[in-house]
């Protein structure tokens, strides 16, 4: 069973504008509302791909209730600790006609030790042995070691852990040897302690420098340039097709969900990378921050180029 965790969920309000200029009024052309938070995005994308999953998290106030209701409407098994005080955060996404997207994110409600204990208690109750656990988001409303604490409490479950986080949270949690990490270039640079540019040679060298952590799969996201992925079979580079990008928010979450889906279904490395790259590209064409057109993704699969570089 796949389980996701979102410790700082949000409502995403997406504003579509012509162009943003400083000190000039920008007229809103359209507004849409959807759910935010990387773990919730992974859950919804997995559901779209036919992979049932549990969505764990903590929500606060009226905004939190809206988040839980949204997840239930998506047909997910929602396992949230719900609090009545304060409100879960709202993110504001400003999408220009040029398809540039600016995200203005609230910090979210700081979690107490009791909050984290209650989330762990719920996870211990629901999660089975050898399940998959997706830890997604930087958990900026918690101590940087929060994922380490959670994994320590769930150690007897022998989980396969997929980690997609950043900053100090990432640096702390790689010491737990997750099954997979999905850093972008900035996050990879922070892990390695040096600037890593997007060339195949530099990325591969950076991946090699992380060997001591015992991470089985390292999937480095390169944005529109694709990804470089190392697993037990070697190192591969995937290059997606050119698409009409609407906004890139949520592309990484759909890429991760697709990788998980492919692993659950036993796809080959090449087929999985083609599939995940196509899903990510289809997400870039969507006006929202979560979800994609599965038929469009299927059209793009054969346009993805994957080569083994080592």
């Amino acid at each position: 069973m796949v389980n996701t965790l979102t410790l700082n969920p949000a409502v995403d309000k997406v504003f579509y504008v012509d162009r943003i200029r400083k000190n000039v009024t920008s007229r809103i052309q359209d507004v849409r509302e959807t759910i935010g938070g990387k773990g919730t995005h992974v859950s919804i994308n997995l559901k779209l791909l036919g992979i049932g999953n549990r969505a764990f998290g903590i929500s606060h106030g009226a905004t939190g209730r809206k988040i839980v209701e949204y997840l239930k409407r998506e047909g997910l098994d929602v396992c949230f600790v719900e609090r009545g005080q304060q409100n879960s955060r709202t993110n504001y996404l400003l999408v220009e006609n040029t398809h540039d997207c600016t995200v203005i994110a609230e910090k979210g409600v700081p979690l107490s030790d009791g909050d984290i204990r209650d989330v762990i208690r719920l996870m211990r109750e629901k999660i089975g042995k050898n399940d998959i656990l997706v830890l997604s988001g930087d958990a900026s409303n918690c101590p940087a070691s929060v994922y380490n604490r959670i994994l320590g409490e769930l150690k007897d479950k022998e989980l396969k852990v997929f980690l997609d986080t950043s900053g100090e949270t990432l640096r702390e949690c790689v010491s737990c040897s997750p099954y997979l990490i999905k850093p972008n270039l900035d996050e990879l640079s922070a892990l390695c302690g040096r600037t890593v540019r997007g060339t195949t040679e530099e990325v591969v060298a950076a991946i090699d420098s992380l060997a001591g952590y015992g991470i089985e799969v390292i999937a480095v996201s390169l944005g529109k340039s694709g990804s470089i992925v190392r697993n037990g079979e070697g190192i591969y580079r995937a290059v997606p097709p050119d698409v009409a990008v609407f906004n890139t928010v949520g592309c990484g979450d759909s890429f991760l969900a697709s990788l998980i889906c492919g692993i659950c279904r036993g796809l080959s490395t090449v087929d999985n990378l083609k599939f995940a790259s196509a899903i990510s590209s289809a997400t870039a064409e969507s006006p929202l921050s979560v979800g994609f057109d599965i038929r469009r993704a299927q059209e793009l699969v054969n346009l993805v180029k994957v080569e083994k570089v080592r």
Side-chain angles (χ1 to χ4, degrees):
M1 183 69 173
V2 180
N3 307 273
T4 69
L5 175 63
T6 311
L7 291 174
N8 200 8
V11 168
D12 281 355
K13 296 200 74 169
V14 188
F15 298 90
Y16 302 92
V17 299
D18 178 22
R19 186 159 61 100
I20 298 173
R21 291 177 293 169
K22 287 184 178 181
N23 303 313
V24 175
T25 299
S26 297
R27 301 294 178 184
I28 296 171
Q29 299 169 341
D30 192 15
V31 181
R32 299 193 192 184
E33 188 173 277
T34 184
I35 195 167
K38 294 175 72 63
T40 59
H41 284 184
V42 172
S43 270
I44 291 169
N45 288 325
L46 283 169
K47 184 68 174 179
L48 289 172
L49 293 167
I51 302 293
N53 64 93
R54 298 187 195 95
F56 288 92
I58 183 165
S59 59
H60 294 81
T63 305
R65 289 192 293 274
K66 185 183 291 187
I67 291 167
V68 169
E69 289 166 6
Y70 190 102
L71 290 170
K72 288 180 177 178
R73 286 200 303 271
E74 292 292 321
L76 296 169
D77 183 2
V78 183
C79 303
F80 267 51
V81 172
E82 298 185 48
R83 297 288 195 243
Q85 300 82 19
Q86 305 184 68
N87 269 302
S88 294
R89 64 185 176 135
T90 299
N91 296 332
Y92 304 90
L93 284 65
L94 309 178
V95 181
E96 302 176 61
N97 285 346
T98 57
H99 305 307
D100 292 309
C101 182
T102 302
V103 180
I104 302 172
E106 293 182 344
K107 290 182 178 180
V109 179
L111 300 188
S112 68
D113 187 73
D115 291 331
I116 296 169
R117 282 201 309 269
D118 286 348
V119 171
I120 292 172
R121 188 179 301 116
L122 185 59
M123 295 174 76
R124 283 205 59 82
E125 176 187 332
K126 299 283 188 179
I127 292 177
K129 194 165 186 177
N130 301 126
D131 273 4
I132 288 173
L133 175 60
V134 184
L135 300 175
S136 202
D138 64 5
S140 57
N141 58 338
C142 301
S145 60
V146 65
Y147 290 153
N148 302 60
R149 175 180 176 182
I150 290 168
L151 293 180
E153 294 279 356
L154 300 176
K155 188 175 182 180
D156 61 309
K157 301 282 187 180
E158 298 179 17
L159 304 174
K160 181 177 283 188
V161 178
F162 291 71
L163 178 68
D164 183 14
T165 186
S166 60
E168 191 60 31
T169 311
L170 174 61
R171 288 191 289 273
E172 289 272 354
C173 198
V174 291
S175 65
C176 295
S177 299
Y179 172 78
L180 177 148
I181 63 172
K182 192 191 72 62
N184 59 27
L185 282 177
D186 287 341
E187 292 157 357
L188 184 64
S189 297
L191 276 180
C192 297
R194 65 177 186 273
T195 300
V196 180
R197 289 176 284 271
T199 66
T200 299
E201 294 75 17
E202 286 201 36
V203 173
V204 169
I207 289 173
D208 286 343
S209 74
L210 302 178
Y213 289 110
I215 301 165
E216 188 164 333
V217 182
I218 299 178
V220 181
S221 172
L222 303 174
K224 66 180 181 180
S225 297
S227 60
I228 294 177
V229 178
R230 191 218 69 192
N231 62 11
E233 299 174 9
I235 299 179
Y236 297 78
R237 180 156 194 161
V239 180
D242 290 329
V243 296
V245 175
F246 202 107
N247 81 79
T248 59
V249 175
C251 290
D253 301 329
S254 64
F255 182 77
L256 176 58
S258 304
L259 287 178
I260 296 167
C261 176
I263 289 169
C264 289
R265 291 177 174 165
L267 294 185
S268 70
T269 298
V270 171
D271 286 344
N272 199 7
L273 288 178
K274 284 187 175 183
F275 177 59
S277 299
I279 293 291
S280 182
S281 295
T283 303
E285 293 183 328
S286 168
L288 299 176
S289 60
V290 62
F292 49 84
D293 184 337
I294 188 65
R295 290 172 297 180
R296 176 58 175 157
Q298 289 165 345
E299 294 171 358
L300 294 171
V301 166
N302 291 329
L303 299 179
V304 178
K305 298 176 182 178
V306 177
E307 64 170 336
K308 188 172 184 178
V309 298
R310 196 176 75 192

